[in-house]
Amino acid sequence: MAKNEHEKRMVYIQVHFVKVGEVNTIKECFDAEVVVRSRWREPAADGEREAKDVNVLSLWNPKIFIHNVIGEPQVRFTILLEHRGPKAYIVENKHFRGSFVEIMELHNYPFDIQELSILIKSDTLLDETELAEDPETMHRIRRGSFIDVQEFYLYKYVICTYPPPPTDAQVQMGILSRPCLRATVKVARLINYYVWNVFVQLNLIMILGFATYAIDVFTMMNRLQLCFVILLSGITFKIIISANTPKISYFTYVDKYVLVNIILLVVIGSWHGLMTRVDKSMRVRVDRYGLAVLAVFYVLFNVLFFVWIYAVVYKERRKMKMVEIAYEHKLRQTLRQPDSEKQKTDKTQSKPGKSKDKDEKPRKLR
């Protein structure tokens, strides 16, 4: 037994996302209820068939916890001893409920896909414990309890990855690394709200910018006044949009779209100012050329922007949808396996009865 105590333990992990709550983009966190099922061999309990004869709490435990939780989570746990032949296993179910930190990747906002992860760790050293996915069960997620269904689409599959091991420099510095496993679910932001409340409304503001060309070409002061009002409306609109995203140091897709529209409004206003220096005999013709060039640029920009979004950005969503379909198919097959095994057992048990009936000769009715 002493030898086994110093051997590296393999702990199999199965994750069940019972509930995924609010996904807070600004605070970069999400709420969730997660059940982490751990299973490992316990040689010290081999042969002990009665659970009451073994004090499970006194045996070795990997001390599973979630690293990226905010504050103190609510934790409930059950621990059981089960036997498979002569071998003993300990199965521990820990139910975590709380808020978890997640750094949001907003380069594609509002067409973004967010990864919601929990970092499962063991309060033991790497030389003592190794965490791995349980090959006997699949990770699960309950989509029906998802709260942010009006803002996000929750993909019904769980991905597990292993963070890289500590580097030599970290080992020399004495940084103790723990065994860990990252379980991730993905959510895609629904675009309908942003189409109607951002892109459509911003296009209406831009149409008013082009409407300044309806004012007489010889009264540029009136054009400039109206253009300044529309430009201030666009800047205010940008500030309102920025209030719904965290303070990040890079441009999102909606930032780029709004910025191009604001620059176009500035170009229109600058054009009106330059027209005051054009000879009056040529002003009408030059003004029409300027309107045609800016209108063509605006239309091409919108066409290319949304084609790019569909062809490149939405490509990841289409891939994830295929992964979700394959995962659900595999999960259904896994759930059907116990039923098929049970049917095989029933058929095997019913065979002697069938052979007995065949041996009996049918009686003739007189």
Side-chain angles (χ1 to χ4, degrees):
M1 295 296 177
K3 183 180 178 181
N4 291 332
E5 290 178 358
H6 297 284
E7 289 181 354
K8 193 171 185 178
R9 300 283 190 120
M10 179 67 72
V11 179
Y12 298 103
I13 301 293
Q14 188 245 350
V15 182
H16 183 192
F17 283 86
V18 179
K19 182 178 181 181
V20 179
E22 180 185 2
V23 181
N24 196 321
T25 304
I26 298 176
K27 295 183 178 180
E28 296 188 294
C29 64
F30 68 97
D31 301 332
E33 292 184 27
V34 185
V35 176
V36 179
R37 180 179 180 271
S38 311
R39 180 175 62 87
W40 64 91
R41 276 275 292 121
E42 185 48 70
D46 287 349
E48 300 289 346
R49 292 295 179 178
E50 297 294 333
K52 61 182 180 180
D53 298 335
V54 180
N55 185 4
V56 181
L57 297 178
S58 64
L59 299 175
W60 182 88
N61 193 290
K63 300 177 183 178
I64 297 295
F65 67 97
I66 297 180
H67 181 71
N68 62 325
V69 68
I70 301 175
E72 292 293 333
Q74 299 179 14
V75 183
R76 304 192 310 269
F77 75 95
T78 58
I79 186 166
L80 303 171
L81 177 67
E82 65 177 28
H83 286 82
R84 300 181 181 183
K87 296 181 179 180
Y89 290 84
I90 292 181
V91 179
E92 182 184 57
N93 292 285
K94 280 193 173 182
H95 190 124
F96 297 89
R97 181 178 182 180
S99 297
F100 304 91
V101 177
E102 182 60 51
I103 304 300
M104 302 289 177
E105 295 293 337
L106 298 172
H107 292 278
N108 296 337
Y109 177 85
F111 312 99
D112 55 320
I113 297 172
Q114 296 299 332
E115 294 185 350
L116 308 180
S117 304
I118 58 169
L119 189 59
I120 303 168
K121 282 194 172 185
S122 170
D123 197 14
T124 57
L125 298 179
L126 279 172
D127 297 336
E128 184 181 354
T129 308
E130 181 179 351
L131 301 184
E133 296 182 73
D134 195 336
E136 298 181 358
T137 58
M138 292 184 64
H139 307 292
R140 298 186 183 182
I141 181 170
R142 188 179 298 174
R143 184 191 287 170
S145 58
F146 183 45
I147 292 179
D148 254 354
V149 68
Q150 296 293 336
E151 188 176 355
F152 292 95
Y153 176 83
L154 176 63
Y155 290 96
K156 198 175 179 181
Y157 66 90
V158 182
I159 300 175
C160 279
T161 56
Y162 300 91
T167 61
D168 296 337
Q170 292 176 333
V171 174
Q172 291 176 0
M173 292 172 60
I175 298 176
L176 298 177
S177 182
R178 308 291 182 182
C180 55
L181 179 71
R182 185 184 299 275
T184 304
V185 297
K186 293 188 177 184
V187 292
R189 198 181 303 271
L190 300 179
I191 191 60
N192 293 343
Y193 171 84
Y194 297 92
V195 168
W196 295 107
N197 293 279
V198 176
F199 296 104
V200 171
Q201 294 185 21
L202 189 59
N203 277 277
L204 294 177
I205 293 175
M206 281 304 305
I207 290 173
L208 291 178
F210 284 105
T212 58
Y213 283 91
I215 301 175
D216 187 36
V217 70
F218 298 103
T219 56
M220 286 298 173
M221 186 63 66
N222 295 335
R223 283 191 178 188
L224 287 172
Q225 289 177 352
L226 181 58
C227 191
F228 289 154
V229 172
I230 296 172
L231 179 60
L232 291 175
S233 300
I235 294 173
T236 305
F237 194 74
K238 172 66 175 71
I239 294 173
I240 295 173
I241 294 173
S242 299
N244 294 323
T245 56
K247 295 178 175 61
I248 51 180
S249 59
Y250 52 84
F251 282 109
T252 64
Y253 271 109
V254 71
D255 291 332
K256 296 174 184 176
Y257 188 85
V258 174
L259 183 61
V260 170
N261 282 272
I262 291 176
I263 291 174
L264 191 56
L265 286 174
V266 173
V267 171
I268 292 174
S270 302
W271 177 261
H272 294 331
L274 291 173
M275 287 300 296
T276 60
R277 300 300 179 185
V278 179
D279 187 74
K280 291 184 178 181
S281 61
M282 301 177 59
R283 191 174 294 180
V284 174
R285 185 173 60 181
V286 173
D287 189 57
R288 289 177 179 174
Y289 288 156
L291 173 61
V293 171
L294 292 175
V296 170
F297 172 80
Y298 178 69
V299 172
L300 286 177
F301 167 72
N302 278 275
V303 171
L304 293 176
F305 179 84
F306 289 106
V307 168
W308 174 268
I309 292 298
Y310 178 79
V312 178
V313 180
Y314 263 62
K315 184 178 180 181
E316 182 66 21
R317 297 197 181 202
R318 292 190 287 270
K319 288 182 180 179
M320 291 173 56
K321 192 64 180 178
M322 297 300 295
V323 173
E324 182 184 40
I325 294 172
Y327 188 89
E328 290 180 344
H329 179 69
K330 184 178 179 181
L331 182 61
R332 284 194 295 268
Q333 287 183 336
T334 305
L335 294 176
R336 288 173 183 172
Q337 282 180 358
D339 297 335
S340 61
E341 291 178 0
K342 184 178 179 181
Q343 291 176 359
K344 288 180 181 178
T345 305
D346 294 341
K347 288 180 180 180
T348 304
Q349 293 177 352
S350 62
K351 282 182 179 179
K354 288 183 179 180
S355 60
K356 183 178 180 181
D357 294 338
K358 289 180 180 179
D359 294 338
E360 292 180 359
K361 295 181 181 180
R363 296 180 181 180
K364 296 181 179 179
L365 295 177
R366 294 181 180 179

